[in-house]
Amino acid sequence: MEEKLLSEAYPFWERLTAEERADILRSAAPVSYQKGECVHRSDMGCTGAVLVLSGLLRVYIASEEGREVTLFRIHAGEPCVLSASCLLDAIQFDLVIEAAEDVRAVVIPAGVLRPIMESNPYVGLYMYRQTAERFSDVMWMMQQILFMGADRRVAIFLWDETAGKGRTSLSMTHDEIARNIGSAREVVSKVLKYLAEEGAVALGRGRVELADREKLRTFL
């Protein structure tokens, strides 16, 4: 595994001993996940720290009835420490991590990280700090679900995924959008139909086109 890649992704790298670096470099492995593939859940054991090289991961919770609420997403260049939640005592509920797109990543196994966390406080501090930052994203999502109307949540999601990233379209089904914003597909379909009637978007099969950037902005 290329050391430069890991040193740029993990701020604690310079605080590792030569032996700890060697252990990580020896064990870190490239992995690939296809869109929709499960990367981590409680009954799969502890995956380890995942560094996304390309693609997108979705972190969500699911009810017994099968309803999913997306908590946050992890983009290319970002690490995911919650896939090593067995090493974090503060994580007491089940999270599911899946590939929202085809993903290439590097995994540092939990079995390698555990003794390093126990002996090196910089690594443990980084893991818990990353967890705290991610849970601020969780709180933002919960606020949206509890206090924000579905029309605005859909508009914000579309804005972030298109105009906010310099894109003009989004290849995603109504069901996928619903799972990302913690809503029902039927509700999302109604909102999208309304936004299309207002001229903000144009709808296609599995695709949403940004028709009028300024019009969509008015719904934010």
Side-chain angles (χ1 to χ4, degrees):
M1 180 53 57
E2 185 178 350
E3 182 171 0
K4 184 174 184 292
L5 184 69
L6 297 175
S7 65
E8 291 176 349
Y10 295 107
F12 59 72
W13 191 260
E14 296 303 319
R15 301 286 189 172
L16 298 175
T17 66
E19 182 179 357
E20 289 168 341
R21 290 182 193 176
D23 287 343
I24 292 177
L25 289 170
R26 184 166 50 248
S27 62
V31 295
S32 296
Y33 303 103
Q34 294 184 336
K35 181 178 179 179
E37 185 177 350
C38 185
V39 175
H40 169 83
R41 64 174 181 262
S42 58
D43 60 356
M44 292 174 62
C46 202
T47 304
V50 176
L51 172 62
V52 178
L53 302 181
S54 66
L56 183 70
L57 295 179
R58 181 172 75 100
V59 181
Y60 67 92
I61 54 176
S63 69
E64 293 182 357
E65 295 77 23
R67 182 182 176 185
E68 299 174 2
V69 176
T70 298
L71 302 177
F72 54 87
R73 293 179 296 168
I74 301 168
H75 299 81
E78 296 180 343
C80 175
V81 301
L82 292 178
S83 50
S85 57
C86 65
L87 305 179
L88 305 169
D89 296 335
I91 307 300
Q92 299 295 329
F93 59 91
D94 292 335
L95 297 170
V96 183
I97 304 174
E98 73 168 15
E101 301 172 355
D102 290 345
V103 170
R104 289 191 310 108
V106 173
V107 175
I108 303 175
V112 173
L113 276 176
R114 184 184 297 277
I116 294 177
M117 279 185 64
E118 292 173 351
S119 62
N120 191 318
Y122 293 102
V123 179
L125 178 62
Y126 169 81
M127 299 284 283
Y128 279 102
R129 182 176 293 165
Q130 283 289 306
T131 302
E133 290 177 359
R134 286 303 182 185
F135 274 94
S136 69
D137 296 334
V138 172
M139 292 305 298
W140 164 243
M141 176 56 72
M142 292 300 103
Q143 286 178 324
Q144 283 191 310
I145 292 173
L146 292 172
F147 305 121
M148 194 178 292
D151 55 345
R152 189 179 175 199
R153 283 157 53 203
V154 171
I156 288 174
F157 180 77
L158 293 178
W159 178 270
D160 288 344
E161 294 302 308
T162 56
K165 293 182 178 179
R167 299 174 180 172
T168 59
S169 65
L170 176 65
S171 297
M172 196 173 284
T173 66
H174 295 191
D175 185 60
E176 287 176 309
I177 294 173
R179 285 188 282 124
N180 272 284
I181 69 169
S183 186
R185 181 188 60 77
E186 295 78 7
V187 173
V188 169
S189 294
K190 289 180 180 178
V191 172
L192 288 173
K193 182 180 178 181
Y194 171 69
L195 292 176
E197 290 172 349
E198 291 294 312
V201 301
L203 303 180
R205 187 175 181 84
R207 193 174 188 85
V208 180
E209 299 282 346
L210 179 59
D212 189 328
R213 177 190 178 98
E214 294 307 313
K215 176 69 74 170
L216 181 61
R217 191 198 294 269
T218 63
F219 293 96
L220 302 182

